[in-house]
Amino acid sequence: MSSDAVKKRKPKVIRSETGTPETKRGRAESEQVTFPPGPHLIGQRKLFTAKNQDVRVYNEEVELEGRDPQQDYTLYKETCAALAKLMSEIQELKTSGAKDGSAEIELRRKQSSIHFITLKKLNRLAHMRLKKGRDQTHEAKQRVDVLHLQLQNLLYEVMHLQKEIGKCLEFKSQHEEIELVSEDEFFQDAPAEISRPQVTREDHHQLTLARLDWELEQRKRLAEQYKTSLSSKEKIQKAIEQKREYLSSLQPGLHNIMQASLPVQEYLSMPFEHMQKQAEVARHLPPPLYVLFVQAGAYGQACDKNLTVSIRGDVDEAKALSRPPEDSQDDESDSDAEEEQQNTKRRRPTVGVQLDDKRKEMLRRHPLSLGIDLKCKDGSVLHLYFYYLMNLNILTVKTKVSTSVDLSGAISAGELLNSESLLNCLYASDHGNETPNPANRYQFDKVGITTFADYVSDLGHPYVWVQKLSGLQFSSDAAQSELSGSALSASHMEKSMKLLRGRLQSRLALHKQFSSLEHSIVPVSSECQHLFPAKVVSGLTRWTMMSHQEFTELSFVQHVLKAGLVSETDLFFKAVVERGTARLLAAVVVNPRYPEVTPLFSLSLLWKGERSGRTDDNLRAMESEVNVFRVELQGPRPGLQLLTNQIQRLCMCLDVYLETESQVSDGSEGPKEFPREKMCLRTARGPSRLKPFKYNHPQGFFSHR
C-alpha cells in the first residue's frame, strides 16, 4: 500500500483540550476505535463521532487523568529501545545492499514513525503534567498568601490593642504631679465637711478628690499670706532705699576726710588708704598670687620692714577675665557678626599660624602680677616680679637690681647681676629652666613646645621655691610636704627672703671685689689680716672671666670635670699670679650659691717647665690650702671675703713654694731671684717633700699641717 492511499484513508481529527462531561459522555457512546497496524499506541487514541455532526473529537486531558506516569516512563524507555533497534536494522539493510524503496525498509520506517508519534504524545503528556503541577502549586501559594495576610492583619490588630492598653496604663493625671499632704495629716488637719472619713476611708477615688479640695483651700490661704508679705516687703524696701540714700550722701564727706588725713597717715607710717586699694585689687588676683601677696605682706609687716609688696597690671582686664562669660548675646550683635562673615573673605590660617596661636594662648600670663622689693642697708634694692601662667598653673619670676652707686666699672662682673642668672640655684639644683609641673610636658607636646627654657627670657624662671611661696606643690618635687596653700608658703617665706637678700649682698660684694681684682689689687679686710704674713711678694697680675667652653678646654682642669664638680650655671674666671719668672695660672669656679659653696681653684705653674696639681704634689697641696680650709678663710659671717682671702693665700703659698724650691733642689741658700723671706721650721717633709704652707699667727712662721 502506498503512502498516498494511507493519507486518503486517514480520518480528520480535531483536538480539543477542553470539554464538558456531557460531551465526553456523548463521545463515549458513539466512539469508534481503529488501531493502525504495528505496535499499539499509548492508551489507544480514542476517536469520537457526534450524533448530529460528522466530526471526530479527541481530548488528551481525559486520558491524562487515567494514565500512570510510571507506566508512561516505562513505555518511553521501551519505545526508545524499539526505535533504536529499528534504526540499527535499517542501517544493516542499507549496508547489505537493500534499496531505499524496498518493502522491508519502508515497513521499518512506518514502524519508526509510529514510535516517533508515541514519543511526541509522551512529550505532550509530560508537559501537561508539568503545567498541571504548576497550577496546583500556584493555587496552594495563593491560599498560603491569603492566610499569611490574614495573620498579619491579626498581628497588627493585636499590636494596636497592646499600644492602646499601654497608653491607658501610662496615663497620668495632672493631680499626680501635685505633692499632697499625707493621708494621716489630711484626716488630722482637714475639716469634717472636706475629709468625710465615713466615705473617703473606703473609696480611694473620693479620698483623692477630698485631698485635692483640701490642697486648694490651703493654697488659697497661702496666696493671701503671700500678698500680705509682698506688701510688707515693699514697705521695708522703701525704708532701705531711704537709708541707702542717706549713706550715699555721707560718702563724699568721708572721702574728703580720708584725703585730708593722708599726710597724717604718711607721717605715722600707716598707709590705710593704700592698703585698702591694694586689698580691693587683690580680690582679682589668681589664688597662687593671692597667697603670695598675703604671706609676703604678713612677713614684711611682722619681720622685715624693708620688704614691700605691690600689685601691678591691668585691673580692668583682670575683672573681665574673672567675670563669667555671658551665654546670651544681643540679636543685633549676632546679626552683625553673620553679616561680617558673609561679606568678608578670610584666609584659612595655616598649621604654623595655628600652632603659634595655641602656644601664645598656652603661655598666656594673668593680667595682674606681683612685685616684691627687698631693700638692703647699703641702699640697693632687689626687685622681684612674679607672674602667673594661667594655662600651665605655675609662677615665674623676673629680677632687677637697683643700686645707689654705679656698678659699670668691672668687666668680669657682667654676669653677677644679670637678671637671667641672678637667682640660679638659690636652693640646690634649682636652675629654673624647666617647669616643675609634670602636667605641662603633655600640654607642650600638643602645641609643639620642645623645652620651656626657650621662653624663660620672656616669661621668667619657674623656680621651685617660687611655686612653694605661692602655695603650689607638684608631685615631681623631690621632698613632698604635707603642707599646702598658705601653710606651705609661710613655711618657706622667711628662709627664701633671707636667701634672696643674702644673694644680692654676695653678688654686690663680688662685684666690688672684681673691680679691685681687675686692677691687680687683692682686697683684704682688717678682720682677715691675721691670716697672712705682713709681706706677700707674689701678686695678682690678671683677673678675667671665661666661658664654660673655654674652661673645659684647659688641660689642668680635666680631673675637676670628670669628678662632676662643675656645671654650666657656675661662673668661671682665670687668675694669673706672678713673681719674677714664675707664673701661676688659676682656673676659678664660683658657684651661684657663693659664699655657701666654696670657690674651686685648679692650678698650673709655668716655671722651669709646666706643672699642675696632677704632676706636682706641692701644687696639689696648694690647691688643698685654698679649696679645703674654708673655715680659716671665710672671715666674719656671712663670709663675703672668702674669694679674696683664697687669692691672697694662693699668693702666699706661691712665695713659700718658690723660696723653698731652690733649697730642695741644690741645698744652697737659693738664687737671687727668690730670696728667702719666709721663716719655715722645715722646708720639706716626707717622701713627697711637701712644703710648709700653713701660716701660724702671731708667731709668723710656716709649718706643715
Side-chain angles (χ1 to χ4, degrees):
M1 185 181 293
S2 64
S3 60
D4 297 335
V6 174
K7 290 180 182 179
K8 290 180 180 179
R9 285 183 179 182
K10 191 175 182 179
K12 183 179 181 181
V13 178
I14 299 177
R15 292 193 182 97
S16 175
E17 296 181 357
T18 60
T20 60
E22 290 80 4
T23 57
K24 293 179 181 179
R25 285 195 300 269
R27 294 170 190 165
E29 293 174 357
S30 59
E31 63 181 357
Q32 296 179 358
V33 181
T34 60
F35 298 99
H40 293 294
L41 294 175
I42 3 175
Q44 301 297 331
R45 179 177 301 202
K46 298 178 181 181
L47 302 177
F48 301 96
T49 303
K51 294 180 180 181
N52 299 326
Q53 295 181 359
D54 190 9
V55 179
R56 296 180 181 182
V57 179
Y58 172 69
N59 193 341
E60 289 184 342
E61 291 184 356
V62 178
E63 183 181 0
L64 181 65
E65 294 177 357
R67 296 179 68 91
D68 185 9
Q70 188 63 32
Q71 293 180 359
D72 288 347
Y73 177 67
T74 304
L75 180 62
Y76 165 74
K77 291 197 295 183
E78 293 175 354
T79 305
C80 290
L83 185 62
K85 182 178 179 182
L86 290 173
M87 291 294 111
S88 62
E89 290 176 357
I90 293 173
Q91 180 68 23
E92 291 176 357
L93 290 174
K94 286 184 178 182
T95 55
S96 62
K99 297 182 179 180
D100 291 339
S102 63
E104 294 179 355
I105 293 177
E106 287 296 326
L107 178 61
R108 285 172 174 77
R109 283 181 177 174
K110 291 178 183 179
Q111 292 176 355
S112 298
S113 299
I114 293 172
H115 287 308
F116 274 119
I117 292 171
T118 303
L119 291 176
K120 286 185 178 180
K121 180 176 179 66
L122 291 175
N123 186 29
R124 287 195 304 275
L125 292 175
H127 281 288
M128 291 173 64
R129 286 193 184 97
L130 179 62
K131 182 177 181 301
K132 184 176 180 182
R134 286 178 178 174
D135 293 342
Q136 291 175 354
T137 302
H138 181 67
E139 292 176 0
K141 283 184 178 180
Q142 285 183 341
R143 289 195 297 271
V144 171
D145 290 342
V146 170
L147 293 175
H148 185 266
L149 182 61
Q150 292 176 355
L151 175 62
Q152 294 295 326
N153 291 335
L154 292 175
L155 291 176
Y156 178 77
E157 291 181 3
V158 169
M159 182 179 65
H160 176 70
L161 292 174
Q162 288 177 348
K163 287 184 178 180
E164 293 298 325
I165 293 171
K167 289 180 181 179
C168 295
L169 294 176
E170 294 176 358
F171 173 76
K172 291 184 179 180
S173 178
Q174 291 184 355
H175 80 277
E176 296 179 2
E177 300 177 359
I178 302 174
E179 295 183 2
L180 301 176
V181 297
S182 63
E183 294 183 7
D184 296 337
E185 294 181 3
F186 169 70
F187 286 113
Q188 182 179 355
D189 300 337
E193 59 272 11
I194 295 179
S195 61
R196 295 176 298 164
Q198 67 278 5
V199 178
T200 56
R201 289 187 183 275
E202 298 177 357
D203 192 346
H204 183 72
H205 177 65
Q206 293 296 330
L207 175 61
T208 303
L209 294 177
R211 292 174 67 188
L212 289 173
D213 291 339
W214 176 238
E215 184 70 20
L216 178 61
E217 291 293 332
Q218 286 183 319
R219 293 196 177 193
K220 287 180 179 180
R221 190 182 311 123
L222 292 175
E224 293 294 331
Q225 294 179 2
Y226 172 74
K227 291 180 180 179
T228 306
S229 301
L230 193 61
S231 60
S232 61
K233 176 186 173 182
E234 292 177 354
K235 293 179 181 179
I236 295 172
Q237 281 182 343
K238 289 180 180 179
I240 292 173
E241 289 295 333
Q242 293 176 357
K243 294 179 180 179
R244 186 174 295 167
E245 291 177 359
Y246 173 74
L247 293 175
S248 61
S249 63
L250 292 177
Q251 183 67 26
L254 294 175
H255 181 71
N256 294 333
I257 295 173
M258 291 296 294
Q259 291 295 327
S261 65
L262 287 178
V264 179
Q265 295 180 23
E266 295 178 358
Y267 180 76
L268 298 177
S269 300
M270 294 186 298
F272 296 115
E273 185 176 4
H274 177 71
M275 294 172 59
Q276 184 179 3
K277 291 181 179 179
Q278 290 283 328
E280 292 178 359
V281 177
R283 294 187 303 170
H284 305 288
L285 287 172
L289 283 180
Y290 183 78
V291 170
L292 180 57
F293 170 76
V294 173
Q295 294 300 324
Y299 175 76
Q301 185 178 1
C303 304
D304 193 347
K305 300 298 181 182
N306 293 324
L307 184 147
T308 58
V309 185
S310 61
I311 300 176
R312 308 163 68 243
D314 190 348
V315 181
D316 295 334
E317 187 177 353
K319 290 180 180 178
L321 189 64
S322 60
R323 187 182 303 117
E326 297 180 358
D327 297 334
S328 60
Q329 297 181 353
D330 296 338
D331 296 337
E332 296 181 358
S333 60
D334 294 340
S335 60
D336 293 341
E338 292 177 0
E339 290 179 1
E340 289 180 0
Q341 291 179 358
Q342 293 175 358
N343 299 331
T344 305
K345 294 183 179 179
R346 298 180 180 177
R347 289 185 179 181
R348 186 178 182 181
T350 61
V351 177
V353 175
Q354 290 178 351
L355 281 178
D356 290 340
D357 294 340
K358 289 181 180 179
R359 291 191 193 106
K360 290 179 181 178
E361 179 63 25
M362 182 167 291
L363 301 175
R364 183 184 175 191
R365 292 173 175 172
H366 192 274
L368 295 179
S369 61
L370 206 62
I372 297 179
D373 296 338
L374 286 173
K375 296 180 181 179
C376 298
K377 295 179 180 179
D378 58 357
S380 58
V381 182
L382 175 61
H383 305 279
L384 302 173
Y385 306 106
F386 296 89
Y387 304 95
Y388 178 63
L389 304 184
M390 298 180 289
N391 294 319
L392 301 182
N393 191 30
I394 59 174
L395 251 67
T396 60
V397 63
K398 281 190 169 186
T399 60
K400 181 182 177 184
V401 177
S402 59
T403 58
S404 57
V405 296
D406 186 15
L407 298 178
S408 60
I411 300 175
S412 60
E415 293 294 325
L416 290 178
L417 299 178
N418 186 3
S419 60
E420 295 296 327
S421 59
L422 178 61
L423 301 183
N424 279 351
C425 298
L426 188 68
Y427 289 85
S429 302
D430 190 3
H431 302 289
N433 291 326
E434 293 296 337
T435 170
N437 188 354
N440 298 156
R441 179 70 269 159
Y442 302 97
Q443 294 176 291
F444 291 162
D445 292 341
K446 292 182 180 180
V447 296
I449 296 178
T450 306
T451 174
F452 188 76
D454 298 337
Y455 303 90
V456 163
S457 58
D458 297 330
L459 301 176
H461 293 267
Y463 297 109
V464 176
W465 59 269
V466 174
Q467 318 306 319
K468 292 182 178 180
L469 287 183
S470 61
L472 295 176
Q473 188 173 15
F474 304 104
S475 58
S476 62
D477 295 345
Q480 283 284 332
S481 174
E482 297 181 357
L483 303 177
S484 62
S486 299
L488 179 64
S489 175
S491 64
H492 287 76
M493 182 63 65
E494 184 175 4
K495 182 178 179 181
S496 299
M497 292 300 130
K498 289 182 178 179
L499 289 175
L500 288 169
R501 184 173 275 108
R503 175 63 60 88
L504 178 59
Q505 292 175 351
S506 65
R507 292 300 173 90
L508 291 175
L510 283 176
H511 197 286
K512 185 177 179 181
Q513 294 168 15
F514 287 176
S515 299
S516 300
L517 294 176
E518 288 181 359
H519 292 85
S520 302
I521 301 173
V522 182
V524 179
S525 62
S526 58
E527 295 87 353
C528 301
Q529 291 290 343
H530 66 280
L531 299 175
F532 313 102
K535 183 179 181 181
V536 178
V537 181
S538 300
L540 179 71
T541 60
R542 188 179 179 189
W543 176 265
T544 57
M545 187 174 185
M546 291 190 300
S547 64
H548 179 262
Q549 182 65 26
E550 293 173 344
F551 180 84
T552 56
E553 293 174 356
L554 297 176
S555 60
F556 57 91
V557 299
Q558 299 304 315
H559 63 289
V560 177
L561 295 174
K562 291 180 181 179
L565 301 177
V566 177
S567 65
E568 295 184 3
T569 57
D570 295 335
L571 302 175
F572 304 95
F573 301 92
K574 183 178 181 181
V576 180
V577 180
E578 294 182 355
R579 180 178 179 181
T581 59
R583 189 178 185 212
L584 180 65
L585 302 180
V588 186
V589 181
V590 179
N591 191 280
R593 299 172 63 195
Y594 173 87
E596 182 181 350
V597 178
T598 307
L600 183 63
F601 283 71
S602 300
L603 305 179
S604 175
L605 179 62
L606 301 177
W607 182 60
K608 296 180 181 180
E610 184 176 358
R611 313 174 191 181
S612 67
R614 308 294 292 175
T615 59
D616 191 327
D617 292 335
N618 284 297
L619 281 180
R620 189 182 305 115
M622 290 173 62
E623 290 179 351
S624 299
E625 288 291 331
V626 176
N627 295 330
V628 176
F629 302 103
R630 166 194 171 90
V631 179
E632 300 176 3
L633 297 174
Q634 69 179 1
R637 297 187 67 85
L640 300 179
Q641 298 292 327
L642 177 60
L643 179 61
T644 56
N645 290 343
Q646 286 178 299
I647 298 174
Q648 185 68 5
R649 174 168 283 189
L650 185 62
C651 296
M652 179 189 73
C653 292
L654 181 60
D655 284 348
V656 175
Y657 183 92
L658 296 175
E659 292 175 10
T660 57
E661 180 67 17
S662 58
Q663 283 195 349
V664 174
S665 300
D666 52 17
S668 63
E669 292 295 330
K672 295 181 180 180
E673 184 182 3
F674 305 118
R676 179 80 174 272
E677 296 180 356
K678 305 295 185 296
M679 184 175 61
C680 303
L681 296 180
R682 295 174 62 183
T683 57
R685 186 182 69 178
S688 58
R689 310 306 292 166
L690 293 179
K691 302 180 184 300
F693 293 116
K694 180 182 179 182
Y695 177 69
N696 295 274
H697 178 80
Q699 292 82 4
F701 63 88
F702 288 84
S703 63
H704 292 85
R705 290 192 180 273

